Amino acid sequence: MVQGKWNITLKTPMGDKSGVLELNEQGTQLTGSLSDGEHYAAITDGKIAGNRLSWSAKITKPMKMNLKFTATVDADRISGDAKHLLGKATFTGTRA
């Protein structure tokens, strides 16, 4: 089960960024949001395949970019990558 709130840390070239990933599952469809207190991005194109997840998010700050996430859920832990124009960032998190 992936549904719920996750406290995540994204490792970026500008340092670690903490945020909240909120996931909702409906069969193999994944929806939700990503926020860090200042910024909010809706999850689009979300998919669930077993314990593997994928989704997209558009951010506008600190710069406009599309992020493509892939993640694996293992009990109360989540980890994965966020691919973007400038490369890739990794993230880890735990269920809130």
Side-chain angles (χ1 to χ4, degrees):
M1 177 157 180
V2 302
Q3 188 155 311
K5 284 187 179 181
W6 299 84
N7 293 317
I8 65 166
T9 302
L10 187 65
K11 298 200 175 296
T12 76
M14 297 176 289
D16 290 359
K17 301 285 183 195
S18 295
V20 175
L21 178 63
E22 193 158 348
L23 299 176
N24 302 303
E25 62 182 299
Q26 296 174 315
T28 59
Q29 299 298 308
L30 185 68
T31 59
S33 63
L34 185 59
S35 61
D36 71 356
E38 296 175 37
H39 310 108
Y40 172 89
I43 288 173
T44 59
D45 206 24
K47 294 179 178 52
I48 303 169
N51 69 337
R52 308 237 352 122
L53 314 176
S54 64
W55 70 89
S56 298
K58 289 181 182 175
I59 62 168
T60 56
K61 291 180 184 172
M63 61 191 281
K64 263 189 172 177
M65 79 172 63
N66 293 328
L67 300 170
K68 294 213 180 285
F69 289 84
T70 54
T72 303
V73 172
D74 182 15
D76 288 337
R77 297 190 178 278
I78 190 169
S79 62
D81 294 323
K83 291 183 180 159
H84 52 84
L85 188 62
L86 306 174
K88 179 168 80 168
T90 60
F91 72 92
T92 57
T94 54
R95 197 176 291 277

